[in-house]
Amino acid sequence: MHHFISGLLLQIALPAPDRPRDDRGDVPGWVMVTLMTAIVVAALTPFVSDELMRLLRQAFSMVQG
């Protein structure tokens, strides 16, 4: 019984070797990284917006002379 269940799980988990793997349903890695970065930035913005504005003003004033 144990070997039957193990074999069945392997058949379900592994793709059949005679057919190519279909990735159309998968989310590409770069989409996930971009989405997660946007979420982190959106979550942190209320806490660091004043400091970021100060840094941007300082950088612009240094460029202007």
Side-chain angles (χ1 to χ4, degrees):
M1 181 72 165
H2 177 69
H3 294 293
F4 173 74
I5 294 174
S6 299
L8 185 60
L9 288 175
L10 279 175
Q11 286 180 351
I12 293 171
L14 298 176
D18 59 339
R19 60 186 169 137
R21 184 171 173 214
D22 185 13
D23 288 336
R24 286 180 291 177
D26 294 344
V27 176
W30 66 269
V31 173
M32 284 300 279
V33 169
T34 304
L35 182 62
M36 291 169 63
T37 302
I39 290 170
V40 168
V41 169
L44 292 177
T45 297
F47 303 106
V48 297
S49 61
D50 293 337
E51 184 67 19
L52 286 175
M53 289 301 293
R54 187 184 68 74
L55 287 172
L56 282 173
R57 285 189 190 112
Q58 183 180 5
F60 286 137
S61 69
M62 290 173 72
V63 170
Q64 291 175 351

